[in-house]
Amino acid sequence: MPRKRTLIVTCVAGALALAIGVAIPPAHDALRVAAGVAAHHVCSMTFVAGQEPRRTVDELVEPMIGPVAAALLTPHVSRATRAVEVSGPLTVLARASFTPGFGCRLDLPGNTALTADPTSHRAANDALSQAGIVPASRPALAAALDAVFDEHPDKPVKRVKAVVIVKDGRIVAERYAQGVDEHTPLLSFSVAKSFTNAFLGILARDGAVDMTRPLDAPEWRGPGDPRATITAEDLLRMRSGLAAEEAESAFSPVARMEFLNADMAGFAARMPSKERPGRTFEYTSADTLLLDRMIGGKVGGGAAGMRAFARRELFDRLGMGDVTMEFDGQGTFVGSTYVYASARDYARFGMLYLDDGVAPDGGRILPEGWVAWSRTSTLGAPYGAGFWTNDGPSELAALRVSAGFPKDGFFASGTMGQRIYIVPSQRLVIVRFGYSAPPEYGIRDDIALIAAAIAE
């Protein structure tokens, strides 16, 4: 599973150092990262998802940065300017602004302008568009849903927000937490990486991308640069060999990339090589941002061009409604982390992979064989190309299969339990989104739900 779970360790260290007046620049940077987490997430959850800011801090921000840092930081939400400032003990440490159509991003030096696009889109009138929430009709499935949502005082919190179960093309059950319904935009976290997979598939279908060719990043064109051989496939399969650790630390390269840099992909491209590509699987969002920059360059038109491409080539064809994609300060889609869509729209996306890349109208969106390739294990790891997978020999995959998640199953996964489970042999897609705590992030109950849905 992804290693990026929480920044508590070094955010706490930074918060304590700043609180007692110790002048350590790295500690100050740690608190700036924590403030960036707070500013961005409160902004997006307020202005994109329509959630209450205090609840966002309690359920999403504090679990990521820790109670000490959270106590030192105060978010100030301006609905007039649609912005969030986060102040620390002495000064404002971070600010995020909302742009209609493009969500939120941190206000950082080097940001380019975004032009608001308030255009709204409605989902198609399809099998997933029925009015009203669909309850589980059978006791065993209802009990499995109860187990997914139920909290226990002696166990880590799950805070499940939405579950949608689609079998044979129709919703057989769904459930939502208070304040969430079938229209609420839900934060993807690393489920967004699977959208990056889809955009690459579309470009590969049209011959615009060859996944086996070197990425040819401008930063890697120097004589003898070991990064020059990194391919698009290496990046999608997290085997780039870049020294871009994604760790539980506000000092990690990925944390600095996401919360201190306007040009996230440029920061990722400057990461040195630590080994030859293709040798080791190491999960890092830096790899994904490099792909997203390449995708944007192929599509053209900056953030607006990427948004139009995604709408035309993917979202409209699947009947997905108002999907929000967020961008960095240079107009690169943050396809490692930031998509917002309803649970039913995430299910529509999952059904694309269930149906081997074919749209509901019968036209092909992804190349033939792309889905099978995407779920094929990378170097024996439980990860394919933008999806976690039960394919391959890994112990984690074997445990999932033994617990009832079929061998052909694979899933998009985000850091706090955002998941789209796909089981082609059972014609099954399950969307499960929450803010769950380690070590399991609720996955044991999810797999029991998969087993119950298969028996439905």
Side-chain angles (χ1 to χ4, degrees), residues 100-266:
F102 298 93
C104 289
R105 67 177 181 180
L106 291 171
D107 295 351
L108 293 167
N111 277 7
T112 57
L114 284 174
T115 301
D117 180 3
T119 307
S120 62
H121 300 266
R122 299 299 254 173
N125 183 22
D126 60 9
L128 272 61
S129 299
Q130 57 261 55
I133 295 170
V134 180
S137 60
R138 297 191 180 181
L141 190 58
L145 264 175
D146 288 343
V148 168
F149 278 83
D150 285 350
E151 301 284 2
H152 302 277
D154 59 334
K155 295 182 179 179
V157 297
K158 290 181 283 186
R159 293 196 181 104
V160 177
K161 300 299 180 183
V163 171
V164 176
I165 304 170
V166 179
K167 192 171 184 183
D168 295 324
R170 67 181 184 87
I171 299 175
V172 297
E174 64 185 329
R175 188 177 297 181
Y176 299 92
Q178 183 179 6
V180 176
D181 62 23
E182 67 270 35
H183 306 295
T184 302
L186 302 167
L187 170 56
S188 69
F189 282 126
S190 289
V191 165
K193 292 179 172 69
S194 301
F195 283 77
T196 293
N197 169 291
F199 297 138
L200 286 166
I202 292 165
L203 293 175
R205 178 202 68 196
D206 294 341
V209 165
D210 182 342
M211 298 298 293
T212 66
R213 293 182 62 82
L215 188 73
D216 192 31
E219 296 88 347
W220 303 346
R221 292 173 184 163
D225 193 317
R227 301 169 296 181
T229 61
I230 297 172
T231 66
E233 182 175 2
D234 289 329
L235 293 164
L236 192 60
R237 290 190 176 278
M238 304 290 182
R239 61 185 194 198
S240 67
L242 293 175
E245 183 185 15
E246 183 154 347
E248 299 178 24
S249 166
F251 302 141
S252 75
V254 166
R256 300 201 310 275
M257 176 187 77
E258 290 187 343
F259 298 106
L260 300 180
N261 282 271
D263 183 2
M264 294 186 192

Side-chain angles (χ1 to χ4, degrees), residues 40 48 57 67 70-71 91 113 158 168 178 198 209 212 216 241 246 305 317 322 324 328 344 346 392 404 438:
H40 175 271
V48 178
V57 171
T91 187
K158 290 181 283 186
D168 295 324
Q178 183 179 6
V209 165
T212 66
D216 192 31
E246 183 154 347
R317 295 193 65 187
D322 283 329
T324 296
D328 75 1
R344 288 184 181 181
Y346 283 123

Side-chain angles (χ1 to χ4, degrees), residues 255-344:
R256 300 201 310 275
M257 176 187 77
E258 290 187 343
F259 298 106
L260 300 180
N261 282 271
D263 183 2
M264 294 186 192
F267 181 90
R270 294 191 295 273
M271 293 294 97
S273 175
K274 64 180 181 180
E275 65 178 348
R276 180 170 55 84
R279 295 185 62 183
T280 304
F281 168 79
E282 183 178 7
Y283 186 93
T284 173
S285 292
D287 284 2
T288 311
L289 262 295
L290 287 164
L291 289 169
D292 290 319
R293 183 176 69 173
M294 180 194 71
I295 294 167
K298 298 287 186 182
V299 170
M306 185 65 196
R307 174 174 155 83
F309 166 81
R311 172 56 56 191
R312 179 182 68 250
E313 297 290 339
L314 185 65
F315 302 149
D316 283 349
R317 295 193 65 187
L318 296 181
M320 297 174 71
D322 283 329
V323 181
T324 296
M325 302 160 57
E326 292 186 337
F327 295 80
D328 75 1
Q330 295 298 299
T332 296
F333 167 48
V334 188
S336 60
T337 320
Y338 297 137
V339 170
Y340 298 80
S342 71
R344 288 184 181 181

Side-chain angles (χ1 to χ4, degrees), residues 237 353 356-357 367-377 384-385 389 391 410:
R237 290 190 176 278
Y353 287 82
D356 191 37
E368 189 172 356
W370 182 268
V371 173
W373 174 82
S374 297
R375 61 169 292 272
T376 300
S377 173
T389 181
D391 178 67
F410 58 107

